[in-house]
Amino acid sequence: MRHDIDHLHHVGHIVRDMEEGLALYRRLGFRLSPPAYPMLSPREGEPPRPFGATNTHANFPRSFVELVSCIDNDDPDRLPSDAKRIPLQAPPEHLARITESIRSTVARLVACLARFQGLHILVFETPDADAAAGRLSAEGVRHGGVITVRRPVDTANGTRMEPIRLLELDSPAPDETGAVSVAEGRIAIAENPAAALLEAQPDIDHPNGAVDLVESVLCVARSALPEVERRYEKYLGRPARADGPARVFDLDGSRVTLVADADLEAILPGERAPALPAFVAYAVAVRDIGVARHLLEENGFPLKRSASGDLFVPAAAALGAAILFRESARRPAR
């Protein structure tokens, strides 16, 4: 059966300090694109300054992990050495609207960080955003409509801003940017640029051997689990399967796992949800788990084993997100 959701597109890890996040991910063995810093003139005629939010990606051929942070308003000119300055140019009559939109984005990030530092974004991949939007509307899922945004894609000739079509999910009403949200964070569905373009990205050969994003783990209160399961059935257009104490939605080579708070430690020993509901972990597939283990141990990370045998770095050692490493040829069932 063909589905209009076929893989994980990306997860978003929101951190308080971008330089600390960059250092963490590099120690974990990921190659990261230079962090992008929007530059905007606060007033007409004034020089542009970093403003809003900054992000970077650990890219894979099909998916990515996004690292996001707010720009420090107390010292906006303190940028990482490899920061990529992105000028935002707009006619004076549009400047106020763009500025307010960016401030709205920052306010949402601040609200996320007020809950906890960690995972707050989950985006699914679709081959057809319009088809996904039609199905979701028919099933009564609220969304902000299909919009076109631009995603930076690194190439051998520099960064290209590729248009992608995006659908934000579930909220009483979208805000002025079209963004909507649910209790666990931002949920969206996105089309990818052409596969050949993504596979040609220069920084997808990670020292830890990561090749794909293969799982997102959502922890909820036990009493809420049936309702959340029904909601994700509508999002993904398929039922979950029971897998020990968890409920699993299988996608094409990736999955979403729902688990009650009381059962989280049974699948990820020692882990506790920082709030409920919360995305608590994600998994990447790696070419050689031995290579990944050696790199992580050399870089001083404490390592644990999940109930299914995956190696993972606890959330306490990774800025609020448990990060699992899974041998790419293995698709374990709990």
Side-chain angles (χ1 to χ4, degrees):
M1 178 179 176
R2 291 182 62 84
H3 295 282
D4 53 45
I5 306 295
D6 54 12
H7 198 65
L8 296 179
H9 187 272
H10 73 274
V11 295
H13 189 169
I14 300 178
V15 297
R16 295 190 176 91
D17 184 277
M18 177 55 76
E19 288 189 288
E20 185 179 19
L22 289 168
L24 168 73
Y25 270 76
R26 286 165 178 158
R27 285 179 57 224
L28 287 164
F30 293 103
R31 294 192 193 279
L32 296 160
S33 57
Y37 279 77
M39 306 289 289
L40 187 68
S41 298
R43 298 174 190 82
E44 187 177 1
E46 293 189 8
R49 300 192 70 190
F51 176 67
T54 174
N55 73 335
T56 180
H57 297 166
N59 291 309
F60 313 118
R62 186 175 184 178
S63 55
F64 62 90
V65 175
E66 181 182 27
L67 193 61
V68 189
S69 187
C70 299
I71 292 172
D72 185 356
N73 287 328
D74 295 329
D75 188 8
D77 296 314
R78 184 176 70 87
L79 274 61
S81 59
D82 61 343
K84 180 166 48 180
R85 293 164 172 81
I86 309 294
L88 300 179
Q89 298 177 339
E93 63 269 22
H94 294 159
L95 185 59
R97 180 179 59 82
I98 292 172
T99 301
E100 185 54 37
S101 175
I102 294 173
R103 284 182 176 145
S104 177
T105 297
V106 170
R108 289 195 296 272
L109 295 178
V110 169
C112 289
L113 287 170
R115 291 188 74 216
F116 60 90
Q117 177 174 238
L119 300 168
H120 293 274
I121 300 168
L122 175 60
V123 181
F124 302 108
E125 178 190 313
T126 180
D128 188 337
D130 289 319
R135 176 182 61 80
L136 292 167
S137 293
E139 294 183 0
V141 176
R142 295 168 297 200
H143 57 78
V146 178
I147 61 173
T148 299
V149 298
R150 293 191 174 272
R151 169 185 166 183
V153 177
D154 294 325
T155 73
N157 298 317
T159 301
R160 289 172 51 170
M161 298 302 292
E162 284 292 312
I164 64 167
R165 306 181 76 236
L166 181 74
L167 181 71
E168 303 267 3
L169 298 190
D170 230 358
S171 172
D175 67 14
E176 70 282 353
T177 68
V180 292
S181 63
V182 294
E184 60 267 27
R186 176 186 174 226
I187 311 291
I189 298 171
E191 294 179 8
N192 255 332
L197 182 63
L198 296 179
E199 291 166 1
Q201 295 174 103
D203 290 324
I204 58 175
D205 186 15
H206 301 278
N208 60 20
V211 293
D212 200 5
L213 172 67
V214 293
E215 185 172 10
S216 173
V217 181
L218 171 59
C219 185
V220 303
R222 185 180 295 282
S223 61
L225 187 60
E227 184 278 326
V228 175
E229 181 179 345
R230 287 191 294 271
R231 178 154 57 88
Y232 275 77
E233 283 181 352
K234 291 182 177 180
Y235 291 169
L236 300 173
R238 72 200 77 193
R241 62 177 171 86
D243 196 355
R247 305 293 293 177
V248 175
F249 292 90
D250 291 309
L251 307 176
D252 176 17
S254 61
R255 67 194 187 197
V256 177
T257 297
L258 307 183
V259 63
D261 53 335
D263 296 321
L264 178 60
E265 191 168 8
I267 65 172
L268 293 175
E271 292 300 298
R272 297 285 189 275
L276 293 175
F279 297 114
V280 295
Y282 69 85
V284 293
V286 297
R287 286 188 294 267
D288 186 325
I289 196 66
V291 169
R293 182 193 300 109
H294 178 74
L295 182 148
L296 294 166
E297 289 174 342
E298 285 287 300
N299 287 339
F301 285 103
L303 298 178
K304 294 187 176 183
R305 287 282 184 183
S306 72
S308 59
D310 294 325
L311 196 70
F312 76 94
V313 174
L319 299 179
I323 302 174
L324 287 76
F325 297 83
R326 179 174 301 157
E327 188 96 357
S328 60
R330 191 165 65 95
R331 294 284 181 260
R334 290 194 177 94

